[in-house]
Amino acid sequence: MSQRALPPLSFYCALFMLLLFIHHVYASTSSPQVQTLNTKPDIINPKLPPRTLSSSKKFEGSSDLVSLRYHMGPVLSSAPINIYLIWYGRWANSQKLLIKDFIHSISPSAVAAKPSVSDWWRTVSLYTDQTGANVSRSILIAGEYVDSAYSHGTGLTRLTIQQVIASAVKSAPFPVDHKNGIYLILTSQDVTMQDFCRAVCGFHYFTFPSMVGYTLPYAWVGNSGKQCPEVCAYPFAVPGYMGKGGPGELKPPNGDVGVDGMISVIGHELAELSSNPLVNAWYAGEDPTAPTEIGDLCEGLYGTGGGGGYIGQVMRDRKSRTFNLNGKRGRKFLVQWIWSPELKACAGPNALD
């Protein structure tokens, strides 16, 4: 069978030019695209440099990651959990309000968009004691004490922090609440603390009866804004040695590097204090003096896909502010994930899977 002769090459060239012309005319006369305002935040997963505290983690009690177990001690199950705030040093009212808005956002009664701080605390509330009672979901700021005179100096230790609590209790701004109460000491950016920036950004423990009169669970968190933001306000500040390598620091959701960085540390310590108030409840490891707790297991993870230098998928608003949780009064926060006893993995309400 004979083959049909093909048209000359010039025919295909002419046909190609004709089709190109038709496409151009159609594109120029078609309806223009309308650009709409995207009100949803962007989802990003930046890879940032590692913290300078690599061999010893920045939170109290970090050690090798082993299986989390219950050691038969109490959790904070009574509702509400009464938080007594001690403001040590000089604090701006706007800074106090930001921290209090975060704490007030924890309870389920707080009105906030999803994913919310209250949703984040739901993971903490999954932990139970030997009676089956869960960590309370209701949290109340039951009292505040201001020590702007630095009554114990501008350099504190783990022992003098208990003296700060004793001074606050003895001045009677709030009662000794050894059943439902926890004491949260927040130090301003000009106050130094033993091991601050070098090994810890916050820690929790309980007071000694010989110093305070009762055994009271407490936590301390410092404002690192002037001392070591690249350590304790990460990822809103990164180590200076990085220079221009990588994406650089992220923009804090409320415009205050030090206090925005404190929020995640406060969340970390409150979660561990509620699930392990006397250091004999939920932790990993055999040594209660160096436990790995539910916050330690997820340090540095803020969203899906975190790990290996990535903080995980978080949100960024139209002003490029980075966050993963919503709070009351329209607040936004970036708070690390918590270990879930159900999923046996780090979990947060902003998970995408």
Side-chain angles (χ1 to χ4, degrees), residues 186-271:
L186 305 172
T187 52
S188 56
Q189 60 186 4
D190 55 343
V191 176
T192 61
M193 165 62 74
Q194 177 184 357
D195 295 328
F196 187 28
C197 297
R198 185 186 65 81
V200 298
C201 299
F203 61 81
H204 73 90
Y205 205 59
F206 51 85
T207 61
F208 304 140
S210 59
M211 298 193 69
V212 182
Y214 295 89
T215 298
L216 305 174
Y218 74 90
W220 162 82
V221 179
N223 184 341
S224 67
K226 295 292 186 181
Q227 299 182 50
C228 57
E230 72 284 355
V231 175
C232 295
Y234 178 96
F236 304 130
V238 297
Y241 66 80
M242 290 302 300
K244 296 183 179 180
E249 66 273 5
L250 302 181
K251 192 171 183 180
N254 300 285
D256 190 320
V257 169
V259 178
D260 274 310
M262 286 183 72
I263 294 296
S264 187
V265 185
I266 290 172
H268 176 118
E269 297 301 337
L270 288 180

Side-chain angles (χ1 to χ4, degrees), residues 121-328:
W121 188 262
R122 185 179 290 116
T123 300
V124 182
S125 71
L126 296 175
Y127 288 89
T128 61
D129 63 15
Q130 57 185 314
T131 70
N134 294 77
V135 170
S136 175
R137 293 198 62 195
S138 179
I139 289 185
L140 173 69
I141 296 179
E144 297 180 63
Y145 175 72
V146 177
D147 189 343
S148 58
Y150 306 88
S151 62
H152 294 274
T154 57
L156 301 178
T157 67
R158 293 173 185 264
L159 284 180
T160 57
I161 202 70
Q162 296 200 26
Q163 294 174 358
V164 171
I165 299 173
S167 296
V169 169
K170 290 176 182 177
S171 65
F174 39 71
V176 173
D177 188 351
H178 60 279
K179 292 184 177 180
N180 297 355
I182 59 177
Y183 296 77
L184 180 57
I185 305 94
L186 305 172
T187 52
S188 56
Q189 60 186 4
D190 55 343
V191 176
T192 61
M193 165 62 74
Q194 177 184 357
D195 295 328
F196 187 28
C197 297
R198 185 186 65 81
V200 298
C201 299
F203 61 81
H204 73 90
Y205 205 59
F206 51 85
T207 61
F208 304 140
S210 59
M211 298 193 69
V212 182
Y214 295 89
T215 298
L216 305 174
Y218 74 90
W220 162 82
V221 179
N223 184 341
S224 67
K226 295 292 186 181
Q227 299 182 50
C228 57
E230 72 284 355
V231 175
C232 295
Y234 178 96
F236 304 130
V238 297
Y241 66 80
M242 290 302 300
K244 296 183 179 180
E249 66 273 5
L250 302 181
K251 192 171 183 180
N254 300 285
D256 190 320
V257 169
V259 178
D260 274 310
M262 286 183 72
I263 294 296
S264 187
V265 185
I266 290 172
H268 176 118
E269 297 301 337
L270 288 180
E272 294 183 342
L273 189 58
S274 298
S275 59
N276 195 30
L278 299 180
V279 200
N280 61 356
W282 289 96
Y283 65 88
E286 299 302 323
D287 184 0
T289 65
T292 295
E293 300 173 271
I294 66 174
D296 300 321
L297 289 165
C298 303
E299 183 189 352
L301 298 179
Y302 298 85
T304 303
Y310 289 94
I311 67 170
Q313 293 176 317
V314 296
M315 294 169 281
R316 184 173 57 194
D317 65 15
R318 286 176 290 173
K319 295 183 179 180
S320 297
R321 297 173 297 190
T322 309
F323 66 102
N324 65 349
L325 300 177
N326 294 285
K328 64 176 297 183

Side-chain angles (χ1 to χ4, degrees), residues 15-33:
L15 179 61
F16 174 78
M17 295 300 294
L18 176 62
L19 293 174
L20 185 62
F21 174 78
I22 293 173
H23 173 75
H24 174 75
V25 172
Y26 175 80
S28 62
T29 58
S30 60
S31 299
Q33 293 182 344

